[in-house]
Amino acid sequence: MSDLNRELVKFIDRLAEAGSNYRMEEMEDLYTEDLGFLVLTSEGEITRFSKSEMFAEFRARRDSGELPLSTEKKVLHIEEQGNQATAVLYRRMSEHADPAFYELRLVKEGESWKVMGETVLPWPELSSARGFLPPRTLTS
């Protein structure tokens, strides 16, 4: 973690704690109003959820008495550009849920970081990952 911005890691920890425990009032302060939450579906398409749609799901889980979610995560990379940052992490919300690759798009508003976007993709099977570019076929 020495190369990662400790302030952002602390923010991500707070985000996971608040969300996993359905603390809606705290979550309200951690996300921008125009949040875009993107999820890759099993059909290979992207579904976009708004802040109100995502919060409705978390509120419904809380109100029905669901147990808290796991806060299991590993921050893999953080990149900052001015008042914006992108964080990439491994995240698993339950032993009954698949692990996921999360990209958090963050913005600093005043003195506070907020999430303006999240992208959630299936965590790859690393042993079979070959990379995004094919091997070179020409030699020089």
Side-chain angles (χ1 to χ4, degrees):
M1 185 170 90
S2 60
D3 292 347
L4 300 177
N5 177 319
R6 291 187 187 282
E7 177 187 6
L8 283 167
V9 170
K10 190 174 178 179
F11 172 80
I12 293 166
D13 288 345
R14 181 177 173 214
L15 182 68
E17 280 289 326
S20 294
N21 290 286
Y22 312 119
R23 295 195 303 253
M24 303 310 299
E25 296 74 25
E26 187 176 353
M27 286 176 63
E28 193 67 47
D29 293 334
L30 302 176
Y31 290 89
T32 62
E33 286 306 313
D34 60 349
L35 169 71
F37 193 93
L38 308 175
V39 179
L40 179 65
T41 69
S42 58
E43 293 80 34
E45 298 181 4
I46 296 289
T47 299
R48 183 185 193 281
F49 298 98
S50 67
K51 180 179 180 179
S52 62
E53 290 170 319
M54 283 308 303
F55 277 36
E57 174 63 23
F58 278 74
R59 194 171 285 108
R61 287 174 177 264
R62 177 197 66 191
D63 294 349
S64 69
E66 287 281 333
L67 293 174
L69 299 168
S70 169
T71 59
E72 180 184 353
K73 70 191 167 317
K74 180 177 180 185
V75 179
L76 302 172
H77 182 76
I78 295 175
E79 195 164 302
E80 293 178 73
Q81 295 176 330
N83 72 331
Q84 296 188 358
T86 301
V88 176
L89 49 143
Y90 166 93
R91 179 86 167 94
R92 189 161 186 184
M93 295 202 186
S94 166
E95 64 184 34
H96 304 292
D98 292 332
F101 177 102
Y102 270 71
E103 178 196 55
L104 303 177
R105 294 175 302 285
L106 309 168
V107 62
K108 193 163 195 178
E109 293 182 350
E111 295 299 312
S112 302
W113 286 98
K114 292 191 176 202
V115 179
M116 63 179 168
E118 291 188 29
T119 302
V120 181
L121 305 168
W123 186 257
E125 179 58 51
L126 297 176
S127 64
S128 63
R130 294 184 289 169
F132 72 97
L133 285 174
R136 292 181 181 237
T137 56
L138 299 176
T139 58
S140 27

